[in-house]
Amino acid sequence: MVSGRESERVTAVNSRWFRVLLALALAGCAALSASYLHNRPLLMSDTLTYVEGAHSLASGEGYVAHGRLVTVRPPGYSLSLVPLVLVGTDTIRDFKVLNIVFAVAAVALYALAISSVAGKLLGLLAAVACGISFPWIYYTHAVLSEMLFTFLLAVFLVAGVRQVAKPGKGSLVALIGAAAALPMVRFAGIAVLPVGALILWLGSHKETVSLRRRFGRMSVGVVVALCPMILYFLRNMAVSGQWSSYETGVSAEYALTVGRIGIDKFNMLTRMWVNARGYLHILIVPDQSGIARVSSLPWWLSLACAGSWVMVMVGVVRALLSSRGRVLALTSGCYGGLLMVNIWYDIRYLLPVLPLFFWFLADGMASTVAWLAGRIGLRPAGSMRILLSTKVLSAAFLSLVLVANMAFALKSGKSAKLRSENYEGVVKRMHDAAVFTSDRPEAGAVLVAGGAGFVRLWSGRRVVNALSWLDADRKLTVQSLPDDVSFVLLDENEFAPYRQQYLEPLVEASREELEVAFEAGRTVVFVRREASRSL
């Protein structure tokens, strides 16, 4: 029989080994992610807004980008870049290094959060398997708000689990602080407030206080967490007359995209169905961002995707039945529910809860196998019984996921492309065309059919997107080139899928005013002839 002192010693050794393994795992995650570092920006249209916003905040001009006050995205991520701007280390590479710091810290916190429910080994495996996955690494190197948001959500989860288990001032401050900061990084952070309110209620369940006092504490915490977002919305109303310019209706691009699969009536149910359909596949096939591509997947892969989500739901239900796991399950549910009404689906929106889904998936599969073994009358003994235990099966599955993710991150063509410092193929031709316009003396804007943010980043010019001229029936409201347009850039369909439908007819109608000045493959830049004659 093990004495109390010997039991404490074993626990201490296990904790020490966990810390050592966690430190080694975090170093490995950081090293793997750092191997992708270069100063080439990824093609993300939001990047320029965040970078320009950081520079304007650093100079005291307010939250400004593209020459106007920003209301479409909250300022949290831009604020995190301000210190780098102030000290002069504001290259794309430096912004990526900051993202790596957020990403590695998030892996550590997720390991702690899941460990408190599933045990140290499973928590470590689930967090690291996600931390070395290609989507995680990819968006770590995108100058976007995803990794800061993920880090803050991990802080919220760790603080929430600890507050429920043993209420304390430290975890309370961290919980409310993270709940307040999350919506200021991405509006989707509002999803944690119901969970935060429940945690504040449960966090005082052992205290001999009245229901009225407990409700008061919960209400104060929620109001404090809401204050930053309320102030931001009031600021938006003062400067623009609306709470936010975030797209909540049906944009022309969204309507055109879903029109490809036969949807022509749009409402909230349409959006929820499209998002659910996308996320059904995206956990297993993370690069299936195109809705038409989802339709082309083989039946067996779609069936595997559906089965994986069934296993995730089994894991969620099991977590709900445990006191600490309830915080993780409810947070995943509230955040996932909000994703259903988001303007679009994407693997990057799933990243903040991806470590949890890895754990839910493993636990769901393991518990299902153990249940089926019992149903068929299998009663293993000895070592076989240990091997068929839920924890061992979960660890085995997560180990396979970890190895597969590592292999993909090191050996796949996608990872090699991400490591390259040079653009390739259609991206390179688009880049070269945009740079060509930057070297021209004409002062006008560039008209494009897609990729406006990228062209603006590379050309330094004002860019007009032809899709902004579509009316409610998705017809062009402009029949000729505006006077302030000096260039028309026709890039290839990967970036501008509506080029033939909208921009090419406009070019053809204005052909007498245009001449070809740059051509590479199917990427073409037209220049206004009157502008050329003025040289």
Side-chain angles (χ1 to χ4, degrees), residues 436-437 440-447 461-462 464 469 478-489 503 506-518 524-535:
F436 168 80
T437 67
R440 300 280 298 197
E442 292 86 356
V446 182
L447 176 61
R461 290 182 175 271
R462 188 170 64 85
V464 180
W469 294 338
V478 175
Q479 303 303 320
S480 60
L481 295 180
D483 293 338
D484 60 344
V485 169
S486 293
F487 304 92
V488 179
L489 194 161
L503 201 49
L506 187 59
V507 167
E508 192 61 33
S510 309
R511 200 55 186 265
E512 293 182 358
E513 305 176 47
L514 300 171
E515 62 182 3
V516 175
F518 175 94
V524 183
V525 176
F526 295 90
V527 179
R528 296 286 282 268
R529 282 201 170 93
E530 61 269 28
S532 300
R533 286 196 298 269
S534 66
L535 297 179

Side-chain angles (χ1 to χ4, degrees), residues 71-73 187 242 244-254 268 271 341-344:
T71 60
V72 66
R73 295 178 185 88
F187 288 138
Q242 56 184 344
S244 170
S245 53
Y246 179 79
E247 181 66 59
T248 56
V250 177
S251 66
E253 190 167 0
Y254 179 88
M268 187 58 70
R271 176 171 292 182
V341 298
N342 194 33
I343 190 171
W344 194 244

Side-chain angles (χ1 to χ4, degrees), residues 309-393:
W309 278 109
V310 171
M311 293 298 99
V312 168
M313 292 301 104
V314 172
V316 169
V317 171
R318 283 171 53 83
L320 283 171
L321 297 177
S322 65
S323 57
R324 294 186 180 182
R326 197 170 297 134
V327 172
L328 308 187
L330 289 174
T331 302
S332 300
C334 289
Y335 180 74
L338 189 63
L339 291 185
M340 291 300 100
V341 298
N342 194 33
I343 190 171
W344 194 244
Y345 66 90
D346 199 305
I347 187 63
R348 67 187 177 112
Y349 303 143
L350 205 59
L351 288 180
V353 288
L354 196 56
L356 299 182
F357 283 135
F358 276 14
W359 168 54
F360 293 144
L361 178 59
D363 186 67
M365 292 185 69
S367 60
T368 300
V369 169
W371 179 80
L372 287 174
R375 295 292 292 177
I376 63 175
L378 184 61
R379 296 287 186 271
S383 59
M384 197 62 191
R385 183 177 182 180
I386 296 174
L387 291 175
L388 286 176
S389 68
T390 301
K391 285 197 172 184
V392 171
L393 289 172

Side-chain angles (χ1 to χ4, degrees), residues 153-444:
L153 187 62
V155 172
F156 176 86
L157 289 171
V158 172
V161 168
R162 293 187 175 180
Q163 184 66 14
V164 170
K166 188 177 180 180
K169 291 184 179 179
S171 58
L172 180 63
V173 171
L175 179 77
I176 295 176
L182 279 163
M184 296 305 294
V185 177
R186 297 188 68 87
F187 288 138
I190 196 71
V192 306
L193 285 178
V195 184
L198 180 62
I199 292 171
L200 291 174
W201 179 270
L202 295 176
S204 57
H205 68 287
K206 295 181 180 179
E207 300 178 19
T208 56
V209 294
S210 65
L211 292 178
R212 180 179 178 183
R213 191 173 178 185
R214 288 170 65 181
F215 181 78
R217 289 182 179 181
M218 181 186 71
S219 300
V220 169
V222 170
V223 170
V224 170
L226 280 172
C227 276
M229 191 172 69
I230 291 173
L231 292 174
Y232 180 64
F233 281 169
L234 290 175
R235 170 261 193 189
N236 291 350
M237 182 61 72
V239 300
S240 67
Q242 56 184 344
W243 298 117
S244 170
S245 53
Y246 179 79
E247 181 66 59
T248 56
V250 177
S251 66
E253 190 167 0
Y254 179 88
L256 289 165
T257 301
V258 298
R260 293 180 173 185
I261 59 171
I263 298 177
D264 55 5
K265 295 181 180 180
F266 311 103
N267 51 43
M268 187 58 70
L269 290 177
T270 301
R271 176 171 292 182
M272 292 174 67
W273 181 83
V274 169
N275 286 339
R277 187 169 179 263
Y279 283 117
L280 176 67
H281 297 85
I282 217 165
L283 184 65
I284 302 300
V285 192
D287 65 337
Q288 296 294 328
S289 57
I291 192 167
R293 293 179 65 194
V294 168
S295 303
S296 65
L297 291 175
W299 68 267
W300 59 266
L301 186 54
S302 293
L303 186 62
C305 291
S308 69
W309 278 109
V310 171
M311 293 298 99
V312 168
M313 292 301 104
V314 172
V316 169
V317 171
R318 283 171 53 83
L320 283 171
L321 297 177
S322 65
S323 57
R324 294 186 180 182
R326 197 170 297 134
V327 172
L328 308 187
L330 289 174
T331 302
S332 300
C334 289
Y335 180 74
L338 189 63
L339 291 185
M340 291 300 100
V341 298
N342 194 33
I343 190 171
W344 194 244
Y345 66 90
D346 199 305
I347 187 63
R348 67 187 177 112
Y349 303 143
L350 205 59
L351 288 180
V353 288
L354 196 56
L356 299 182
F357 283 135
F358 276 14
W359 168 54
F360 293 144
L361 178 59
D363 186 67
M365 292 185 69
S367 60
T368 300
V369 169
W371 179 80
L372 287 174
R375 295 292 292 177
I376 63 175
L378 184 61
R379 296 287 186 271
S383 59
M384 197 62 191
R385 183 177 182 180
I386 296 174
L387 291 175
L388 286 176
S389 68
T390 301
K391 285 197 172 184
V392 171
L393 289 172
S394 297
F397 177 77
L398 286 173
S399 297
L400 290 175
V401 172
L402 190 152
V403 171
N405 285 349
M406 174 69 80
F408 191 92
L410 290 174
K411 299 296 184 180
S412 71
K414 288 181 179 293
S415 67
K417 188 175 181 180
L418 181 62
R419 284 195 182 95
S420 174
E421 296 194 26
N422 301 311
Y423 294 111
E424 301 174 0
V426 295
V427 183
K428 183 180 187 306
R429 294 194 285 275
M430 183 182 185
H431 170 266
D432 293 346
V435 171
F436 168 80
T437 67
S438 70
D439 295 332
R440 300 280 298 197
E442 292 86 356

Side-chain angles (χ1 to χ4, degrees), residues 50-62:
Y50 289 125
V51 173
E52 289 190 4
H55 281 270
S56 66
L57 287 167
S59 63
E61 299 174 8

Side-chain angles (χ1 to χ4, degrees), residues 117-128:
V117 180
K120 293 181 174 63
L121 179 60
L122 294 181
L124 185 64
L125 287 173
V128 175

